[in-house]
Amino acid sequence: MSIIRNFTGELIATFFFISVILLTASQVYGAFSIGLALTISILFVSKLSLGALNPAVAIALWAKKAINFTTMIVYIIAEIIAAIFAVLWWKYVSKN
């Protein structure tokens, strides 16, 4: 798979997943929303990347030799950037 596809897939899916967590965690339906968001995120990126959505999962995939070291690093960088953007977006949305 292309590094750009991997990066884009992880970035979009992780941003969506973290955003849903931040927006719904304190709601009555929070657990359902988070589970649904995780499912949708993994299904969405299954053609772009493996849908790790978490640095620990990316490391586990690398340890299992499902991905190479470079791909693992790309996954982790994309996930960290997406999480930062999701928190910044959430702070902006929650102020307004």
Side-chain angles (χ1 to χ4, degrees), residues 15-27:
F15 176 83
F16 172 71
F17 181 54
I18 299 295
S19 296
V20 170
I21 291 172
L22 292 170
L23 291 170
T24 65
S26 64
Q27 305 297 321

Side-chain angles (χ1 to χ4, degrees), residues 61-96:
L61 288 169
W62 172 70
K64 197 177 134 180
K65 300 197 186 318
I67 58 174
N68 62 32
F69 184 78
T70 305
T71 303
M72 178 194 69
I73 296 298
V74 167
Y75 278 16
I76 292 171
I77 290 170
E79 293 157 0
I80 291 170
I81 290 171
I84 291 168
F85 283 151
V87 169
L88 293 173
W89 177 79
W90 175 70
K91 285 186 173 192
Y92 175 76
V93 169
S94 63
K95 284 183 183 178
N96 296 330

Side-chain angles (χ1 to χ4, degrees), residues 40-62:
I40 291 169
S41 296
I42 291 171
L43 289 173
F44 174 72
V45 297
S46 64
K47 301 292 183 193
L48 300 174
S49 67
L50 294 177
L53 306 180
N54 182 333
V57 175
I59 293 169
L61 288 169
W62 172 70

